[in-house]
Amino acid sequence: MDAAAADLEARQLQILRRVADLELAAQQHRLGALSISAAPSGGEVETGATEARLSSILTERGVLDFTFRRVPADYYDRPLEERRDLLRADSVDQLCKSIVMVNTQAAADVVDCSNPKNSKYYVVVVQYMARLNADSIKNFIYALNEKQIPKKRFNMRLAPEEESLKLTGFVHNAVTCIGMETDIPVIIDEAITKLDKDFFWLGGGEVDLKLGVRTSQFLNAFKPFVVKCS
């Protein structure tokens, strides 16, 4: 199979996946299924509003290869292998999460995310199977500031759930680094960018909604910091 044929086949598969997604969403709509939206109002909206909002953001940023999947309510009770199969992912390595981290030792005047190089908060995208190394993130930010800020001023810890909700607009297990309430700087683990497949999965803004996206397009569109942090 030449490159052109392979590209055509890949696009056809992408279209079939989206058709399947739309059919599932339509079925859930007919059943009157509702889900909590990440919209600022915090109210309940019909299934599909969050997906539409995030799709619009992705498209506007030039991300064309992405897809959404609805998952069962017991998704997080299942092993990674079953989650992989539900998402039709190629490997459990592609299953990732977005974690809001806070610098608990930031200077008194560092209270928000206005300075990406020295932000109070960062969103870290890491694989589920990986072990996050907070010290690696601390060392990266220290170096990012050309070692002009004392190292003791960096201590990255998991942000409390209520802070994460306020900053992102997304509840626990629904957090994604796309379409957040606050423009929080994003860090992606280098390991994700080196996967065999140029694709990874993360939260989709609702607990039962997951987003798969082309890694290279995500990097080009959102310009996250790429850090070896696992």
Side-chain angles (χ1 to χ4, degrees), residues 199-213:
F199 205 85
F200 72 103
W201 288 87
L202 68 166
E206 298 175 12
V207 175
D208 66 343
L209 183 64
K210 306 306 165 191
L211 166 64
V213 62

Side-chain angles (χ1 to χ4, degrees), residues 115-136:
N115 180 5
K117 291 185 177 182
N118 185 25
S119 177
K120 179 72 172 178
Y121 301 92
Y122 288 88
V123 170
V124 182
V125 182
V126 65
Q127 295 162 293
Y128 268 100
M129 62 174 295
R131 184 179 180 87
L132 181 64
N133 188 331
D135 283 340
S136 295

Side-chain angles (χ1 to χ4, degrees), residues 96-115:
C96 304
K97 56 185 173 181
S98 301
I99 303 171
V100 179
M101 302 197 75
V102 56
N103 181 4
T104 62
Q105 296 299 319
D109 61 340
V110 179
V111 297
D112 56 25
C113 305
S114 58
N115 180 5

Side-chain angles (χ1 to χ4, degrees), residues 80-230:
L80 290 176
E81 290 76 13
E82 287 191 27
R83 299 187 207 177
R84 173 202 61 202
D85 294 342
L86 286 168
L87 296 175
R88 305 176 208 167
D90 296 292
S91 167
V92 294
D93 295 339
Q94 293 178 310
L95 309 186
C96 304
K97 56 185 173 181
S98 301
I99 303 171
V100 179
M101 302 197 75
V102 56
N103 181 4
T104 62
Q105 296 299 319
D109 61 340
V110 179
V111 297
D112 56 25
C113 305
S114 58
N115 180 5
K117 291 185 177 182
N118 185 25
S119 177
K120 179 72 172 178
Y121 301 92
Y122 288 88
V123 170
V124 182
V125 182
V126 65
Q127 295 162 293
Y128 268 100
M129 62 174 295
R131 184 179 180 87
L132 181 64
N133 188 331
D135 283 340
S136 295
I137 298 173
K138 177 181 73 174
N139 293 335
F140 169 77
I141 301 172
Y142 175 62
L144 190 63
N145 286 276
E146 301 178 346
K147 303 180 180 180
Q148 297 301 304
I149 301 174
K151 204 167 190 177
K152 66 180 181 180
R153 285 298 183 186
F154 301 106
N155 184 51
M156 305 308 299
R157 291 292 180 264
L158 185 68
E161 191 171 323
E162 60 273 16
E163 285 187 41
S164 176
L165 174 58
K166 181 178 179 181
L167 290 164
T168 66
F170 303 121
V171 299
H172 180 60
N173 284 338
V175 177
T176 183
C177 58
I178 299 167
M180 297 180 289
E181 288 285 332
T182 308
D183 188 16
I184 311 174
V186 177
I187 293 173
I188 187 171
D189 187 13
E190 182 183 69
I192 299 171
T193 70
K194 293 185 174 181
L195 292 174
D196 292 337
K197 298 291 185 178
D198 184 30
F199 205 85
F200 72 103
W201 288 87
L202 68 166
E206 298 175 12
V207 175
D208 66 343
L209 183 64
K210 306 306 165 191
L211 166 64
V213 62
R214 183 73 56 193
T215 311
S216 55
Q217 294 185 9
F218 173 84
L219 295 175
N220 289 334
F222 296 95
K223 303 294 190 298
F225 294 116
V226 179
V227 182
K228 187 176 181 180
C229 55
S230 66

Side-chain angles (χ1 to χ4, degrees), residues 21-32:
D21 290 342
L22 290 171
E23 288 176 344
L24 177 58
Q27 181 182 20
Q28 291 174 327
H29 175 72
R30 287 193 299 270
L31 294 174

